[in-house]
Structures are given as C-alpha cells and as structure tokens.
Amino acid sequence: MFTIITGAQFGDEGKGKIVDLLSSDYDMVVRFQGGDNAGHTVVVDGVTYKLHLVPSGFLTGARILIGPGTVINPEILAKEIGILRDAGAQINPEILGIDAKTSIIMPYHIALDELREAARTEKIGTTKRGIGFAYIDKIARDEVQMADIADEARLRKRIKALAPEKKAAIEQLGGDPAAIHNEDHLSKYIEIGKMLAPYITDVSYEVNTAINEGKNVLAEGAQGTHLDVIHGTQKFVTSSCTIAGSACANIGVGPTKVDNVLAILKAYQTRVGEGPMPVELHDEVGKHLGAKGHEFGTTTGRPRRCGWIDIPLLRKSVNLNGYTGIALTKLDVLSGLSTIKLCTAYELDGNVLQYPPLLTDQVARCTPVYEEMSGWSEELDSMTQYSQLPQAAKAYVTKIEELLGVPIDIISIGPGREQTFRTK
Ligand code: IMP
Ligand code: MG
C-alpha cells in the first residue's frame, strides 16, 4: 500500500502528529520535499519532540527516508539525530536513509535568503533557512548533493567550481562573502558529511522495492497545498511542490502505485508569513484560535494568522491532491465558541465565487461569505471516540464532508497520540 499525506491548507495542519500515529501501520515513511523550513511537533509519552528534517515515525520502527526532492541543512540534521539519540530513540543507518541526490543547503544559501528577503520591498516572510536558494541551485544544476558532502575531495572540487559565482551573488546583495564562504564552514560540512555517509541510500529503489514486496509506504509532505510553488498563492509560497503528485515525482514512484491520498486539515485556518488569507480574523475569535491552538511557528516562533475554515480554498485542495480521505485536526480548539462560521464562498467585484480566482492579487481582494453553525462549550480533549463528541461538533464534521465530498476518517482533539480517533 502506498499512501501520500499532504497539508490541505498553508502548513501546520498537524501532519507530524498524524504521520507519527499512522506510521505504526507502515513499514516505511518518506519525506518528499521541503527542508528545515518545516517543523513538526510530536508528543509521545509526554515528551515533546520538535523536528524539522527527521521524518515522523522514527519511534515505531518504520524505515524513515529523506528523498532526493528535499533540501537538507546537514547541521540541522546532525543536531536532530543527536537530540533523538540522547532521548533514547534508535536513529542509525538501519532506521534512517538519505538519498545520495538530496540537495544540500549551504551557508551561502541561508545568507542569500536573508539578504534577498531584506532587500524586497514586498516581503514573502520566508523562514530564512535558505530553502529557495537551495532549490534555485538544484534547478540551475549548481547544487551540492548529499553524495558530495560525504566525500571531501568531491566537495572541495564542487565548491571550487561554484565559489566565484556564489561570492559575486552575496556581494551583489550587499553581503560579505568571506564571512559566509570560508574554510571553517567547509570543514564543518566535511565532518558532518563523514558522519552522514553511512545513511546514504537510493530512495526511489528502496520505495519501489518495498511497494513491490507488498509493504506499506507512507509519503509525508511538508508545508501545505497553497504554499505550492506552482499552484499556490505565488509569490507567497515555498520553493517546492507540496501537492500529492509531487510525492511521485520527487520520490521516483509511478502514479499507478498510489492507493490513498490523505489530507491533513485543520478545523480552522492558519497562515504564517505574508500572502492573502480572506478568512483572517483580527477579533476575539482570532485571538481565541491563536491562544487555544498555540498557533506559533515551530521553526520561526512567529504568531500564525488565524481564521475560520476556508471552503473555496479547500475545494481547490481537493482538486490539486485528489484526496481519498481527510484527517481533521485541532477540533478541540473550537470548543467555547458559541457560533462556528464556515467560509463557503468568496465575493469578488460583486460576484459570488465557489472556487478561488486564479491570481494571488484576486484572492487578496476576496471577502468571505460565511455560513453559521452552532458551536459547543464542552472541552473535547479527553474524549476517546467519535460518538462522545457533542452533536454540534459532529454536525460541523458532517458539513465539511458534504461541502468537500471527501470523507473525514480521522479526528484529532489534542497533541497526544491517544487524542485521536476514527470516525467509523
Ligand atoms: P520558505 O519556505 O522559507 O522560503 O518560506 C516561504 C513561505 O512559506 C513563508 O510564508 C513561510 O512562512 C512559509 N512556510 C515555509 N515552511 C512552512 C511550514 O512548515 N509551515 C508553514 N509555513 C511555512
Ligand atoms: Mg509546521
């Protein structure tokens, strides 16, 4: 069985938790795009793990893989491996594999990301992790790959060839090339490269072999559908493809192998960074969602923008991903609101739209058309099955299913593993 999981909104839907939970049914979990701009929080036995690169599922004995479509900061990866080992988790080349062709985020990518963002009059609000610039180099065929940092001679040769262009780029944006591009950085990467060398593998081969042997493979996306570099709200997007089809392209598995595509969908909407968000609230409800939902970025600590669920945007998510099921997360956060609103359409220039307009600046001008439902006051976080949910919460779940035409299979009502149940 091959399942793909993607975030249906703007990231931070709770993918890490759901992947962690589902991974006990899977033999392999593969991360297919993005880098340490992503952050997921997994709570197990009361211990909180904040991770950026190591795929969720490391605790259930699944083989965890980092695919060649990702961009890896080796310092962050080495740090995470260290933290997890100290916490007693088994992280070794038997458990974790990294594709030889994974692009490496170099210090100059991070510097360029910071310098470029500072120079923009209209900011994107990137995580400043060098993600965009690492992907630029991948496409420009100027990348440094995992296989390069694992081999000192290879890395030195590669860097020598790239150095003049990188130095010029840093200088052009007003940075100091010597501070960013030096022997200290290089030797650190060489040292980490040696440590990571035993983890190198061929992810496409491993995944295809596992699927052909009848094993269960889970592909885990990072960020969310509307941060997709092709189909999202450009330019306020990340630099990779975040939608389900991207799992096939980035891992190297044919689309005929896909069995399920699961949406991770938050019961309301958040967005971190700039870009249009018609449902954004600046009122007491927005504050309620932010505070009760602990809506602060795992990677940057920035407060997330909050609002009601946005159905037009989700209709597009269903199209872009071909979802077969939904995991609805953070339903508990809506407890205590007397009225729940759903944005079921947009209004733009006097027209009512069921589906988002094509261009980002048009989305920015849309105003939400809301439908109201009754809320509920009961706290949900200690409930253990669907039948215990208040009638109003069940009605909300059913309403979303009807509006999107996709079944909600899983509901999450808190950060812990036990705070999740199936609807059937
Ligand atoms: P970048 O990915 O660092 O280039 O940032 C581009 C945009 O994507 C910014 O608006 C970020 O806030 C957003 N972004 C990147 N990664 C995540 C994530 O994991 N969750 C939510 N937003 C993200
Ligand atoms: Mg996150």
Side-chain angles (χ1 to χ4, degrees):
M1 179 172 66
F2 182 42
T3 301
I4 301 170
I5 288 192
T6 67
Q9 292 149 318
F10 292 96
D12 309 310
E13 297 93 350
K15 288 180 296 292
K17 185 207 151 159
I18 301 295
V19 172
D20 169 61
L21 194 88
L22 293 180
S23 61
S24 52
D25 299 331
Y26 287 83
D27 304 291
M28 200 174 257
V29 178
V30 197
R31 169 84 184 268
F32 64 85
Q33 43 71 230
D36 64 307
N37 48 347
H40 45 266
T41 309
V42 182
V43 181
V44 184
D45 296 334
V47 182
T48 301
Y49 297 88
K50 280 191 190 293
L51 301 173
H52 302 284
L53 289 174
V54 173
S56 322
F58 58 91
L59 285 165
T60 53
R63 170 100 171 125
I64 51 176
L65 296 172
I66 298 177
T70 60
V71 289
I72 294 298
N73 179 328
E75 287 190 78
I76 303 278
L77 182 58
K79 205 161 106 189
E80 283 185 12
I81 292 174
I83 291 171
L84 291 173
R85 278 205 188 132
D86 290 349
Q90 288 276 338
I91 303 288
N92 54 47
E94 246 63 320
I95 303 275
L96 173 67
I98 309 161
D99 197 275
K101 292 186 176 184
T102 301
S103 286
I104 295 297
I105 298 178
M106 300 298 291
Y108 49 78
H109 293 134
I110 300 168
L112 289 167
D113 190 356
E114 282 170 355
L115 291 165
R116 181 73 189 94
E117 185 71 0
R120 281 185 197 278
T121 40
E122 191 187 22
K123 310 279 181 214
I124 294 174
T126 76
T127 59
K128 301 192 179 142
R129 300 300 180 108
I131 306 297
F133 283 85
Y135 275 116
I136 289 172
D137 276 357
K138 188 193 263 302
I139 304 302
R141 292 151 298 184
D142 283 337
E143 69 186 327
V144 172
Q145 296 184 334
M146 188 63 209
D148 296 322
I149 66 158
D151 177 336
E152 178 168 353
R154 220 175 134 119
L155 181 64
R156 288 198 180 275
K157 191 170 160 216
R158 190 84 184 114
I159 293 298
K160 203 170 161 200
L162 294 170
E165 197 262 318
K166 295 299 155 201
K167 285 182 177 160
I170 293 164
E171 227 156 36
Q172 203 193 358
L173 283 169
D176 172 12
I180 295 149
H181 191 81
N182 58 38
E183 179 57 34
D184 280 358
H185 281 139
L186 203 56
S187 31
K188 201 188 292 169
Y189 271 50
I190 289 164
E191 193 188 315
I192 297 173
K194 278 188 190 134
M195 191 278 276
L196 294 177
Y199 292 87
I200 292 180
T201 187
D202 179 342
V203 165
S204 169
Y205 181 75
E206 276 205 44
V207 170
N208 279 287
T209 305
I211 295 172
N212 292 340
E213 285 172 356
K215 290 187 176 154
N216 294 340
V217 179
L218 187 64
E220 174 190 19
Q223 289 87 43
T225 295
H226 299 285
L227 292 175
D228 185 275
V229 71
I230 296 174
H231 299 280
T233 53
Q234 296 95 332
K235 65 180 187 183
F236 309 100
V237 291
T238 192
S239 298
S240 61
C241 283
T242 57
I243 60 176
S246 164
C248 290
N250 278 306
I251 296 171
V253 187
T256 48
K257 299 288 167 79
V258 181
D259 296 293
N260 312 294
V261 183
L262 183 68
I264 312 297
L265 170 58
K266 186 144 57 179
Y268 50 97
Q269 187 172 285
T270 62
R271 175 164 203 166
V272 57
E274 305 303 319
M277 176 168 168
V279 293
E280 183 171 11
L281 296 171
H282 297 283
D283 60 2
E284 286 309 308
V285 174
K287 279 188 205 146
H288 168 106
L289 299 172
K292 199 169 165 109
H294 308 288
E295 296 296 352
F296 295 91
T298 320
T299 301
T300 57
R302 290 178 288 181
R304 297 177 185 141
R305 302 152 67 194
C306 299
W308 297 113
I309 202 161
D310 185 335
I311 299 293
L313 214 62
L314 292 172
R315 290 190 180 109
K316 183 163 177 169
S317 310
V318 171
N319 278 353
L320 294 177
N321 291 281
Y323 289 132
T324 57
I326 295 173
L328 187 71
T329 61
K330 295 188 122 173
L331 187 61
D332 55 302
V333 174
L334 299 181
S335 289
L337 296 167
S338 54
T339 302
I340 308 279
K341 292 190 190 175
L342 300 93
C343 165
T344 51
Y346 291 153
E347 207 177 293
L348 178 66
D349 302 331
N351 299 313
V352 174
L353 310 177
Q354 304 296 316
Y355 199 78
L358 192 50
L359 300 177
T360 302
D361 54 293
Q362 294 171 321
V363 178
R365 289 194 293 112
C366 286
T367 50
V369 178
Y370 288 117
E371 267 185 50
E372 294 190 5
M373 297 183 76
S374 346
W376 59 90
S377 55
E378 299 92 325
E379 295 299 338
L380 311 183
D381 49 3
S382 59
M383 295 184 177
T384 53
Q385 46 186 316
Y386 185 69
S387 61
Q388 292 173 339
L389 288 180
Q391 210 45 52
K394 283 187 198 157
Y396 183 61
V397 170
T398 307
K399 180 81 181 172
I400 297 171
E401 281 185 324
E402 282 170 7
L403 286 167
L404 298 181
V406 182
I408 295 179
D409 302 322
I410 297 171
I411 292 186
S412 164
I413 42 136
R417 264 190 186 170
E418 62 296 342
Q419 291 172 302
T420 312
F421 40 74
R422 297 203 170 254
T423 49
K424 280 124 214 148

